[in-house]
Amino acid sequence: MKAIRALLLASTAFAAPHLFIRLNPCFVIGSETLPAEVADSANSLANTVTCDSSKTTIDGVPDVSSGSVKFSFINFASSGQTPLAFALKQFSTTSPLASNNLQQFQDELNTYLATEAGIRSVGGSLAIKVPKFFLQFQIARIQQAQGTVSNAPGMTVDHQLQKVLKNAAGEDKGLLDQVNKLAVTLQ
């Protein structure tokens, strides 16, 4: 009996290293539970986005980088503009639409997704959703212009347009009209 207990105790001790503790990405600084979609996004960006903990942005979230893009350089909150006015100016596209640098837009989006996860982890303001959805909208437009049309409902230009309009509902009508015009400018 002692031998069986010793064997069980030893097997339990050896099994312990197989248990894991979930470590948060460097930009998830709080303890608030993240919505599943945000948590999945944060985890997928953990190896793509880096943090500069010596500099913070919104709600104490470290300044994050993806590729050559630093969030602090494209931070809507420090612009003095509404989130949509900032997004329309900062994340504009050139003509022809297909010639825009998709990776640049993706790196910008990555910094917004990471910062949003950090903000949500501390229970902060969700104003970041307007420029984030605008970036997703611009990426969908560029992809469509490049011939990469997604059949996934959440990835279409129209779906992203609705996300922008819903989250920017309180913005100036003229700004919303500009977004609607972009939705049909896909060349």
Side-chain angles (χ1 to χ4, degrees), residues 14-50:
F14 289 120
H18 296 290
L19 300 175
F20 66 94
I21 297 172
R22 183 176 168 268
L23 298 175
N24 285 329
C26 61
F27 45 85
V28 177
I29 57 169
S31 59
E32 295 289 323
T33 302
L34 300 176
E37 184 178 345
V38 175
D40 290 346
S41 174
N43 289 329
S44 72
L45 290 170
N47 295 323
T48 303
V49 171
T50 59

Side-chain angles (χ1 to χ4, degrees), residues 26-122:
C26 61
F27 45 85
V28 177
I29 57 169
S31 59
E32 295 289 323
T33 302
L34 300 176
E37 184 178 345
V38 175
D40 290 346
S41 174
N43 289 329
S44 72
L45 290 170
N47 295 323
T48 303
V49 171
T50 59
C51 295
D52 178 356
S53 58
S54 70
K55 183 174 185 177
T56 60
T57 58
I58 302 169
D59 289 336
V61 176
D63 193 12
V64 295
S65 299
S66 178
S68 63
V69 177
K70 291 176 86 58
F71 182 79
S72 58
F73 294 157
I74 57 170
N75 182 354
F76 78 99
S78 61
S79 72
Q81 299 175 294
T82 67
L84 187 58
F86 172 83
L88 280 161
K89 182 177 178 184
Q90 180 68 40
F91 307 123
S92 63
T93 54
T94 59
S95 185
L97 187 56
S99 69
N100 283 270
N101 183 342
L102 189 57
Q103 186 59 54
Q104 176 72 20
F105 279 86
Q106 186 62 57
D107 286 337
E108 291 167 339
L109 177 59
N110 289 348
T111 67
Y112 267 78
L113 291 169
T115 302
E116 177 190 17
I119 292 168
R120 284 177 175 259
S121 77
V122 296

